[in-house]
Amino acid sequence: MATDPSPSARPRVTDIGESSPLVEVIYDEILHGAFIPDELISCDQLRAILRDGLGVLTAVVDGEGRPLAAAVGEWDPGSRVLLLSYVAVRRESRSGGLGRLLMDEVGGAWQRRFRPEMTLAEIEHPAAHSGDEERGDAAARVRFYERLGARALDLPYFQPALRPGAERVHGMLLIALPPLPGDGGADGPVDSAPVRAFLTAYFVESEGAVGADPASARLWQAVDRAGGIALLPLSDPPALPLSHA
């Protein structure tokens, strides 16, 4: 007769510190395969944000302490925006609820720790990224965040080049996670000021400056629309904004 696993054998959620050897394990065995190289900060960058108190790394580990899934958050104190940079689950551990465990932490412990103005995340637009068996399916990822109540900011968003030699990643969505910001209800609009401040800091840190190229101009024009930034439902991906170079 089958029995329930002991509490010590069940997956548990834990924060990982900068000095932990699990940082490199998580980076090499979970994050590295789940994201294309241009989407991923380096392991040294990850350790630096943890060391400086500007990030959080939360993992789900098994009874032996082996990481099964992980989430990375980056905190911008100037804008008070928390970016959920990465969520990834080992391929063999997917569809087991581990992603939802991590999102419960993002919506709970992370909110209590940082008290952000808003929590954002970058995800691939399904019209621009097909994914694969290792990285997963972009459309399924959109559905996952839709079930959580996330909304897309109405911006032609692209991820900046994260380090020298990296390329920008176009065809991305910038989404707002619950609790959704603003007083306009679940569909916004939201105040553009913290979004502008966050993006300015992000692009300056990543690329050295806010770009003046056409893609950058389209993004900043959308940020500065009168009346704030609309929050769009994720239920109709073809209707969501799509950036291009």
Side-chain angles (χ1 to χ4, degrees):
M1 180 178 178
T3 59
D4 291 334
S6 67
S8 62
R10 296 171 189 160
R12 59 184 175 87
V13 178
T14 184
D15 285 347
I16 307 298
E18 175 265 336
S19 61
S20 171
L22 288 184
V23 174
E24 189 168 358
V25 174
I26 290 168
Y27 188 89
D28 290 343
E29 298 183 10
I30 298 179
L31 298 180
H32 190 267
F35 298 93
I36 62 174
D38 286 332
E39 291 178 353
L40 191 59
I41 61 175
S42 69
C43 191
D44 286 342
Q45 288 174 304
L46 175 56
R47 287 191 183 277
I49 63 172
L50 297 177
R51 181 185 64 244
D52 296 341
L54 298 176
V56 57
L57 172 59
T58 300
V60 180
V61 298
D62 63 17
E64 297 179 349
R66 175 176 178 260
L68 304 175
V72 177
E74 297 182 62
W75 171 237
D76 178 44
S79 63
R80 299 201 59 78
V81 169
L82 178 62
L83 178 68
L84 172 60
S85 305
Y86 308 107
V87 177
V89 180
R90 286 185 185 272
R91 182 176 173 184
E92 65 271 20
S93 300
R94 292 173 186 166
S95 302
L98 301 186
R100 186 57 190 257
L101 277 178
L102 290 171
M103 294 308 300
D104 287 344
E105 289 295 300
V106 174
W110 287 21
Q111 300 299 307
R112 293 188 294 271
R113 174 175 174 178
F114 295 104
R115 302 291 181 185
E117 183 82 11
M118 64 180 71
T119 303
L120 304 177
E122 302 163 310
I123 61 173
E124 295 174 339
H125 196 307
H129 301 270
S130 57
D132 53 37
E133 288 187 3
E134 181 65 28
R135 293 171 47 227
D137 178 64
R141 196 170 298 113
V142 169
R143 293 192 296 270
F144 172 77
Y145 284 104
E146 180 190 4
R147 291 192 296 270
L148 295 175
R151 298 287 189 274
L153 277 70
D154 188 12
L155 301 174
Y157 182 70
F158 58 92
Q159 187 184 61
L162 296 179
R163 61 189 174 279
E167 299 290 334
R168 290 174 172 178
V169 183
H170 283 275
M172 300 290 285
L173 295 169
L174 189 63
I175 64 172
L177 302 175
L180 295 172
D183 298 323
D187 296 322
V190 298
D191 184 3
S192 61
V195 178
R196 168 171 267 284
F198 162 72
L199 290 177
T200 299
Y202 190 12
F203 275 75
V204 170
E205 173 68 22
S206 299
E207 298 187 351
V210 173
D213 55 282
S216 296
R218 289 189 293 269
L219 174 58
W220 295 106
Q221 287 167 3
V223 170
D224 290 334
R225 288 189 194 116
I229 303 170
L231 291 178
L232 307 175
L234 294 173
S235 55
D236 186 13
L240 297 174
L242 183 64
S243 71
H244 55 86

